[in-house]
Amino acid sequence: QVQLVESGGGLVQPGGSLRLSCAASGSIFSINDMGWHRQAPGKQRELVATFTKGSSTNYADSVKGRFTISRDNAKNTVYLQMNTLKPEDTAVYYCNARIRVRIRTAESDYWGQGTQVTVSS
């Protein structure tokens, strides 16, 4: 069984910073892409950033230059450093990963439970 556990959300003032972490654990053979999505109230879930197994990164236009995704493969952990936060960044942030649990089986997408980020004065 695979689990993704996020941490690091909270309340921050506009212009502030937060760092989210997401650790994958359980029966894992390999991890391909890892990333972060977010969902604001009344809106659809949207991609924030991804970090591929080949170390490529991709960001939503709205967070480019402010957010940085990184990954520690030894710890099966992905991070999201969020700087210069804006009220419109307020959302529940979800970690996801494409994981193969055994050799010669298909990869599946796994999601964390979400962590709330609120940007407000």
Side-chain angles (χ1 to χ4, degrees):
Q1 189 170 355
V2 174
Q3 278 191 315
L4 299 183
V5 179
E6 299 124 334
S7 60
L11 173 64
V12 64
Q13 291 187 341
S17 298
L18 283 176
R19 188 190 193 213
L20 306 183
S21 300
C22 172
S25 63
S27 178
I28 296 172
F29 176 75
S30 64
I31 302 178
N32 199 337
D33 297 357
M34 300 185 81
W36 293 91
H37 288 66
R38 68 185 181 187
Q39 187 166 17
K43 295 188 177 181
Q44 289 189 329
R45 190 173 296 190
E46 62 175 359
L47 174 70
V48 176
T50 58
F51 196 114
T52 71
K53 189 175 182 180
S55 299
S56 296
T57 57
N58 181 50
Y59 296 92
D61 288 343
S62 59
V63 307
K64 282 181 182 176
R66 300 188 298 121
F67 290 11
T68 302
I69 189 170
S70 60
R71 179 170 169 173
D72 186 335
N73 290 327
K75 296 181 179 180
N76 289 340
T77 299
V78 64
Y79 306 94
L80 186 68
Q81 177 66 44
M82 305 185 293
N83 298 328
T84 319
L85 282 159
K86 304 175 180 180
E88 51 264 43
D89 294 317
T90 296
V92 178
Y93 283 70
Y94 296 91
C95 165
N96 78 292
R98 178 152 289 193
I99 295 173
R100 191 188 310 274
V101 297
R102 285 186 298 277
I103 192 170
R104 289 191 292 272
T105 61
E107 294 175 332
S108 297
D109 286 321
Y110 292 85
W111 292 84
Q113 79 285 356
T115 185
Q116 176 70 46
V117 171
T118 302
V119 185
S120 175
S121 54

